[in-house]
Amino acid sequence: MTSSEPRKQNAIQHPAQAAVGVFDSGLGGLSVLKELVKLLPEEHFIYLADTANCPYGQKSDAEIQRLSLEAMHFLQEQGAKALVVPCNTASAAALQVMREDAGPDFPVVGLVPAVKPAVESTTSNTVGVLATEGTLRGRLLQDVIEQFAVPRGVRVLKATHPQLVPLVEAAQLNTPVTRQVLRQTLDPLMDAGMDHLVLGCTHYLFLRDALFSLYPHLNLLDSGFAVAKQTRRVLTEKHLLAAHASGHIEIYTTGDPEEVAPVVQTLWGEHLTVKHAVYRKEEHA
């Protein structure tokens, strides 16, 4: 890949009033964007959904890294001063690569599955993690399990299903098909005594109603608010926190904006204009 040094230099020069980039494999990261907007209302956010390549869960780590770097470079070219990666799969496979590419003056905030609070709250000593295949095989999740669950003797059961992300991308949030897939995926964990479920993919936050209808006593945990707090802390440390501004949101997709816009409206709750993201061609060694 060609050097991204010009992008890094531009990022260094951006003032605090520049945008915060937010990148997800698809539209699931809108759930985290909501938390960011609530906590940082003065910030300008540019959200990029790589819907043309979604889902990431069954792609190789090398492919996820390539796609993540391309997304980051696009957001840097739009003037982003920092990057939030609410995508669990991209965080697991590419976070370190992205930070190395970006350099120390362009903060990159990733997502860590909410295993710690689940372990601290469980009464059955059995918690579950619902995530993509890419997240489940990643070292990031395993490190969190070893750090927090193993010392307390808490079992962490893992579950995945390739249809869940596409269902959310199609705005099928609480349909009979979605509930059937969830039961097929999670009933074995419930039978094993799970009392807390970590939603290890941002898409799954939009399945809360379906999950509550199926498992009304199951405790659901996600990392959205924690990511927003970490973003605020990092921006403050880097003197990049916006002030005295009226924040706004831009949405880009690598897919078809006309197809994506109605789903964005369903997930966000109001109309947001969706623009097509055109990447600058990059050469790969």
Side-chain angles (χ1 to χ4, degrees):
M1 184 170 60
T2 57
S3 171
S4 57
E5 191 63 30
R7 280 183 288 261
K8 296 176 189 175
Q9 293 300 325
N10 287 339
I12 292 170
Q13 295 167 7
H14 284 177
Q17 300 307 110
V20 175
V22 183
F23 154 61
D24 191 88
S25 63
L27 299 173
L30 291 173
S31 60
V32 175
L33 182 61
K34 286 177 179 286
E35 298 291 343
L36 289 164
V37 169
K38 282 193 289 187
L39 196 62
L40 298 164
E42 296 178 328
E43 295 289 346
H44 167 204
F45 293 98
I46 303 177
Y47 182 94
L48 171 62
D50 190 14
T51 46
N53 296 295
C54 186
Y56 279 15
Q58 294 180 295
K59 297 184 186 299
S60 69
D61 286 354
E63 179 72 357
I64 295 168
Q65 290 167 8
R66 180 183 67 81
L67 293 169
S68 298
L69 285 172
E70 289 179 347
M72 181 177 74
H73 295 163
F74 172 80
L75 289 166
Q76 286 176 318
E77 288 159 8
Q78 305 314 302
K81 64 186 177 185
L83 178 65
V84 180
V85 187
C87 179
N88 283 268
T89 305
S91 289
L95 192 60
Q96 187 60 37
V97 173
M98 297 171 80
R99 285 174 172 164
E100 290 172 358
D101 184 89
D105 296 296
F106 185 83
V108 179
V109 179
L111 200 62
V112 177
V115 172
K116 179 182 178 182
V119 166
E120 292 174 343
S121 301
T122 181
T123 57
S124 69
N125 281 336
T126 301
V127 303
V129 177
L130 180 62
T132 68
E133 182 181 314
T135 298
L136 293 183
R137 72 168 180 261
R139 189 66 224 175
L140 184 63
L141 174 61
Q142 192 57 39
D143 287 345
V144 174
I145 291 172
E146 291 176 2
Q147 182 179 0
F148 299 109
V150 172
R152 289 176 177 247
V154 174
R155 281 196 305 167
V156 179
L157 307 178
K158 303 174 184 177
T160 187
H161 198 293
Q163 289 185 26
L164 287 174
V165 169
L167 284 168
V168 174
E169 290 289 314
Q172 300 298 306
L173 308 181
N174 195 6
T175 64
V177 170
T178 301
R179 291 192 294 272
Q180 180 182 6
V181 171
L182 287 170
R183 293 210 64 154
Q184 176 187 344
T185 307
L186 296 176
D187 275 2
L189 278 67
M190 295 297 295
D191 293 342
M194 172 181 68
D195 64 352
H196 286 68
L197 178 64
V198 176
L199 301 178
C201 174
T202 52
H203 285 79
Y204 302 163
L205 274 68
F206 291 108
L207 300 175
R208 279 179 173 272
D209 288 347
L211 287 164
F212 280 132
S213 71
L214 294 172
Y215 312 109
H217 303 296
L218 180 63
N219 296 286
L220 304 178
L221 298 97
D222 68 86
S223 304
F225 180 60
V227 170
K229 287 199 299 182
Q230 174 68 0
T231 302
R232 182 175 63 181
R233 185 185 70 80
V234 169
L235 292 178
T236 301
E237 286 182 355
K238 294 287 188 178
H239 306 290
L240 291 173
L241 200 63
H244 311 298
S246 178
H248 63 284
I249 300 168
E250 294 181 67
I251 306 290
Y252 284 90
T253 176
T254 55
D256 183 347
E258 292 187 3
E259 293 181 1
V260 171
V263 182
V264 170
Q265 181 162 349
T266 297
L267 299 181
W268 190 258
E270 60 183 90
H271 174 75
L272 293 173
T273 299
V274 179
K275 294 178 278 190
H276 182 53
V278 180
Y279 289 179
R280 187 176 72 182
K281 186 175 181 181
E282 299 191 3
E283 297 177 6
H284 300 270

